[in-house]
Amino acid sequence: MEHPTEAASFSKISLNQLTRFVHLKLKEDNFITWKNLMNPVIQKYKLRLYVDGLHPCPPQFTSNRNKGNGIENPLYLDWIDEHSTIIMWIHSTIFDSVIAYFSRSTTSHHIWTSIAERFARASSTHLIQLRTKLLSLTQGNKSIPSLINEIKSLSDQLAAAGEVISYKELVLLSKP
């Protein structure tokens, strides 16, 4: 397991640059896609320990036996710096209309788990709706290219959310 202080490079990146990594803002119907964009950044910058709550805040002060009083812990200062950057970054990837759901969250771990709890169920429902729509497509009075584009759009949305449709399924769906 990598040491949490190795994440120190994350706080040195500007928020403008961070928001370019995750260009999609979280809203009611895109949690899985949003999470799939967030996870590589979390992995790359070794933030998993923070958002999973496995790297708790170190004590603010260390004891100084010679002077009898505490001195500020540099690990605490680093943790606060990283933690604040993570919170600001997560907030910058959430639509204003849903950010209020997480206004009481005070740690990156609490925000991350609150988001997952709030949207995971809705995302599962959304995936079912997309798959149902895809399976119920008919040509009707649509042209073949129009039908194929609609199939491709729905399958791309499902793939972006981690639900890949096999090539065989797509071939079967695209037959008029």
Side-chain angles (χ1 to χ4, degrees), residues 29-164:
D29 65 351
N30 68 354
F31 168 70
I32 294 174
T33 305
W34 175 86
K35 185 177 175 187
N36 286 339
L37 291 171
M38 294 289 280
N39 276 326
V41 180
I42 288 169
Q43 291 301 116
K44 164 109 175 110
Y45 291 100
K46 299 164 184 64
L47 305 177
R48 181 69 56 207
L49 294 172
Y50 289 90
V51 297
D52 286 351
L54 300 174
H55 178 45
C57 184
Q60 183 174 0
F61 296 101
T62 59
S63 62
N64 184 339
R65 295 179 188 211
N66 297 334
K67 296 183 180 178
N69 58 1
I71 56 173
E72 196 147 38
N73 183 354
L75 294 176
Y76 169 81
L77 297 174
D78 290 344
W79 189 92
I80 292 296
D81 188 39
E82 289 299 308
H83 179 72
S84 298
T85 302
I86 295 166
I87 290 172
M88 290 186 298
W89 172 58
I90 292 173
H91 282 163
S92 74
T93 66
I94 300 173
F95 264 110
D96 294 345
S97 60
V98 295
I99 203 163
Y101 299 141
F102 317 109
S103 62
R104 293 183 183 225
S105 299
T106 57
T107 66
S108 57
H109 169 65
H110 192 251
I111 292 169
W112 190 253
T113 56
S114 296
I115 289 170
E117 289 168 3
R118 169 99 182 149
F119 292 112
R121 209 171 316 117
S123 292
S124 296
T125 303
H126 183 64
L127 285 175
I128 291 167
Q129 289 170 341
L130 285 172
R131 188 174 263 285
T132 302
K133 187 173 180 179
L134 181 63
L135 294 174
S136 64
L137 281 177
T138 60
Q139 184 177 359
N141 58 0
K142 299 176 197 159
S143 68
I144 298 284
S146 175
L147 177 64
I148 290 172
N149 285 339
E150 194 170 352
I151 290 170
K152 174 128 176 55
S153 173
L154 289 168
S155 66
D156 287 350
Q157 289 177 58
L158 285 162
E163 184 87 8
V164 179

